[in-house]
Amino acid sequence: MSKLYWIETWGCQMNDHDSEKMAGILSGLGYDPAREAADADIVLLNTCAIREKAEEKVYQALGNLRAAKQAHPEMIVGVAGCVAQMSGKSVRERSPWVDLVIGPRAASRLPEHIARVQESRGVVDTTLYQDSLLRVAKPVRQSGDRRKAYVTVMEGCNKKCSYCIVPTTRGREDSRTIQSLLEEVSGLAEEGYLEIEFLGQNVNAYRCPETGEGLSDLLRRAGEVAGILRLRFATSHPLHFGSEIIRAMADLPEVSPYMHLPVQSGSTRVLKAMRRGYSRETYLAKVQELREAIPDITLSTDIIVGFPGETEAEFEETMSLVREIRFDQMFSFIFSARPGTAAEMLPDECPAGRKTARLMELQALQRGIQLEKNQALVGQLREVIVESPSRRNPAELAGRTPGNRIVNFRATGAVPGDLLTVSITSAGPNSLRGELVEREEELACSGAD
Ligand code: SF4
C-alpha cells in the first residue's frame, strides 16, 4: 500500500508554491496525497510567521494532530516554512510530538530528513541552503485545471523593513537564471497553462545571475511564449518598481493590468520608522507614473495600522492617501510585533482598542471606494478565466478578470480554465456579477477593468 502525505499551508503564494514543490518531492518518494491528515504517513504544516495570529494557528493545528500521532506513532509530523525558520527547536520543545522542523530553504532536503526521522531521530534544520526549493523539485500543481501556475523567480529579501520577519525566515535575495525560468514557462504553456504568476518576496529586484537581466526583461521574453495569455507578478516594493517595469506592463498585452504595490502607511514619518525607504510623495509619484502609462490599471495595496508611535494625525495621513489614490483592492492589518525585528523594541502606547478602531475606519472607507469603483464597471464587457464554482452559489461559476476582479455568473458546460466574456450586471465591494456573452459580442470586449 502506498504511503500518504498531507500538507497544510498558511500564508503567501510563495508558501502555496513551496507546498506544491514539497508535494512534488514526496510524490517522487512514492507518497500519494491523503484524503485527510489523520490518514497520512507524513503531515507537513507549511507555516507563516508574518503575524502573531498566524503563528498561533500552527500550534493549534499541532494540538489537533497530537491524538492522530498517539493513534499512529509512526506518522511523521513536520513543521515547515517561516515559523519553523523563526522558532527552530523551540517548536519541538513546545510540541514534543513534532518529529521534523525544516525552514523554507531546507525543505529541499526532505528525503534525507524523512530517513533520519525514520531512524527515530528528531530533525531541526534551519540552514539557508543555496540549492533550496527555488531550484529543485517539480511541483505537484494545485491548479489541476491548467488555469494558472506559480513560478518562483527569486527567494529572500535584502531589505530591512523594521516590522518584517521575512529577511530572517527567507534569507538574502537569490534569483534563478532567466533561461531556467523561460524553460519552465514554455513547459507550462505546452501543458496548456494560460496564466503565469512570477513570485518573489521582492520580485522587482529580480536579477538573472548569468545575464543581469531584470523583471522587465523576464516579462518581455515570457510574453513571447506562445499560449500564455496572462502574466502577473508579486510582491513588489515601491523602491524597486522601476519605470522599465511599468513600460513593459504598458507595452505587453500579456501582462495583466493589475498591480499590487504595498504602501503600508500614508505618513512619511511612519514610513521612515518602518524603514520602507520611500516617502508619501514618492509613492504618490509612482502611482501617477503607473496610471499615466496604464490608465485603467487595477491597483491594490497593503496597509498596516497601529505601527508603534503612529499618532491620530499620522493615521489620518493614511486615510487621506487612501482617499486620494482610491485603491481598487486593499489588504489591511493591525501591526503585530515580530521577534527579532527592529520594530519589536519600539515603544507602543496606542491602546489595542484604538488600533482596532483605526482598522475598522480604514476598512469602511476602502469598502465604499471599492463599491463605487466596481459599480462603475456595470454594463461593460470583461474577459474572464473561469476559476471554480462560485463560493456563494455552486450553480454559478467564478471567473477572474485581467484586473484581478472576481465575477460570478452562470455558464452551463463551462469549466475552470475556460476563457469567456461576460457582461457586468451588478457589483458589490469585493466582487462582480455578470452574464455570459455570446461569441458575436465578444469582439467588443475591452479587456482591462
Ligand atoms: S520588502 Fe517586503 S519582504 Fe522585504 S523586508 Fe520589506 S516587507 Fe519584508
Side-chain angles (χ1 to χ4, degrees):
M1 194 170 83
S2 76
K3 294 171 289 182
L4 302 175
Y5 72 81
W6 176 265
I7 301 178
E8 186 106 20
T9 309
W10 289 272
C12 61
Q13 296 128 314
M14 183 82 93
N15 256 14
D16 288 338
H17 194 37
D18 282 356
S19 290
E20 292 180 332
K21 290 184 172 177
M22 289 193 277
I25 292 174
L26 291 169
S27 66
L29 294 173
Y31 286 82
D32 290 320
R35 282 178 192 286
E36 56 179 297
D39 302 341
D41 298 288
I42 181 166
V43 174
L44 286 179
L45 306 184
N46 191 10
T47 61
C48 170
I50 209 79
R51 272 173 289 283
E52 191 170 354
K53 223 180 188 170
E55 192 187 346
E56 280 316 308
K57 282 188 190 150
V58 178
Y59 291 104
Q60 275 158 25
L62 287 173
N64 302 340
L65 273 173
R66 188 174 194 169
K69 174 74 178 175
Q70 280 161 347
H72 188 15
E74 62 291 343
M75 169 197 274
I76 296 175
V77 175
V79 175
C82 293
V83 172
Q85 187 70 32
M86 179 179 76
S87 308
K89 62 180 175 19
S90 66
V91 173
R92 297 196 70 218
E93 283 152 13
R94 192 168 157 179
S95 313
W97 56 95
V98 170
D99 306 292
L100 183 58
V101 179
I102 41 172
R105 291 211 187 184
S108 54
R109 279 166 169 66
L110 209 43
E112 65 192 75
H113 291 329
I114 290 172
R116 284 175 58 198
V117 168
Q118 284 161 340
E119 291 153 17
S120 59
R121 284 184 290 147
V123 172
V124 176
D125 187 353
T126 54
T127 315
L128 294 168
Y129 296 102
Q130 211 42 38
D131 58 346
S132 66
L133 284 179
L134 187 65
R135 290 189 181 78
V136 299
K138 186 147 180 40
V140 174
R141 295 190 184 273
Q142 296 314 310
S143 145
D145 52 39
R146 302 216 171 340
R147 175 175 40 80
K148 172 178 179 172
Y150 291 133
V151 173
T152 304
V153 302
M154 65 182 294
E155 189 163 29
C157 184
N158 293 357
K159 309 210 70 64
K160 288 269 176 281
C161 302
S162 61
Y163 54 83
C164 185
I165 195 81
V166 170
T168 309
T169 58
R170 292 272 181 175
R172 292 190 60 75
E173 288 164 11
D174 176 15
S175 294
R176 289 174 57 186
T177 63
I178 201 163
Q179 192 51 43
S180 71
L181 291 168
L182 293 170
E183 280 160 15
E184 186 170 351
V185 172
S186 306
L188 289 164
E190 274 152 35
E191 288 177 48
Y193 282 88
L194 299 175
E195 182 171 329
I196 303 286
E197 179 150 8
F198 292 124
L199 300 178
Q201 270 92 22
N202 187 9
V203 74
N204 303 157
Y206 169 75
R207 187 72 45 202
C208 172
E210 284 174 354
T211 66
E213 287 166 288
L215 180 64
S216 59
D217 306 299
L218 174 61
L219 291 171
R220 289 185 186 282
R221 296 182 62 184
E224 289 158 10
V225 175
I228 298 296
L229 292 179
R230 290 184 184 171
L231 293 171
R232 298 182 193 277
F233 54 92
T235 299
S236 293
H237 188 292
L239 264 191
H240 297 271
F241 184 47
S243 305
E244 77 288 355
I245 301 174
I246 295 177
R247 275 198 301 281
M249 292 178 75
D251 293 350
L252 299 166
E254 296 82 8
V255 179
S256 293
Y258 167 74
M259 185 64 211
H260 182 62
L261 194 62
V263 65
Q264 305 299 4
S265 172
S267 151
T268 295
R269 193 214 53 90
V270 173
L271 287 169
K272 199 155 187 288
M274 287 177 166
R275 300 186 187 168
R276 288 291 284 170
Y278 55 85
S279 66
R280 175 192 175 98
E281 290 66 34
T282 316
Y283 188 87
L284 284 165
K286 190 55 71 178
V287 169
Q288 187 183 345
E289 181 187 352
L290 178 62
R291 284 182 167 161
E292 277 164 12
I294 310 166
D296 45 27
I297 187 92
T298 298
L299 184 61
S300 82
T301 197
D302 293 343
I303 289 185
I304 295 173
V305 300
F307 186 81
E310 180 190 65
T311 63
E312 287 305 329
E314 287 161 347
F315 171 62
E316 187 39 48
E317 286 185 275
T318 294
M319 294 289 273
S320 68
L321 180 110
V322 170
R323 287 189 204 98
E324 183 171 346
I325 291 183
R326 291 175 60 76
F327 294 100
D328 300 273
Q329 292 155 3
M330 180 190 289
F331 304 90
S332 50
F333 315 93
I334 293 176
F335 168 76
S336 172
R338 299 289 59 218
T341 59
E344 184 193 17
M345 312 320 285
L346 293 175
D348 189 357
E349 278 99 41
C350 181
R354 182 64 204 126
K355 293 188 180 196
T356 306
R358 286 178 186 170
L359 186 67
M360 312 291 273
E361 284 169 37
L362 174 66
Q363 291 177 344
L365 170 64
Q366 181 58 24
R367 221 180 354 266
I369 291 171
Q370 278 180 215
L371 181 58
E372 283 167 24
K373 298 196 86 169
N374 284 351
Q375 281 174 338
L377 301 177
V378 173
Q380 299 186 17
L381 298 183
R382 284 296 171 271
E383 193 177 63
V384 295
I385 295 182
V386 177
E387 290 209 336
S388 61
S390 160
R391 260 190 274 164
R392 289 213 181 141
N393 173 356
E396 294 185 337
L397 291 170
R400 192 174 292 272
T401 68
N404 206 37
R405 284 187 169 90
I406 289 291
V407 186
N408 297 300
F409 62 102
R410 279 180 187 278
T412 319
V415 294
D418 282 359
L419 188 65
L420 303 171
T421 300
V422 294
S423 168
I424 306 301
T425 52
S426 67
N430 300 314
S431 66
L432 305 167
R433 290 197 54 67
E435 262 167 22
L436 183 63
V437 169
E438 296 318 317
R439 180 139 286 289
E440 300 68 55
E441 284 179 71
E442 271 178 13
L443 302 171
C445 172
S446 68
D449 57 279

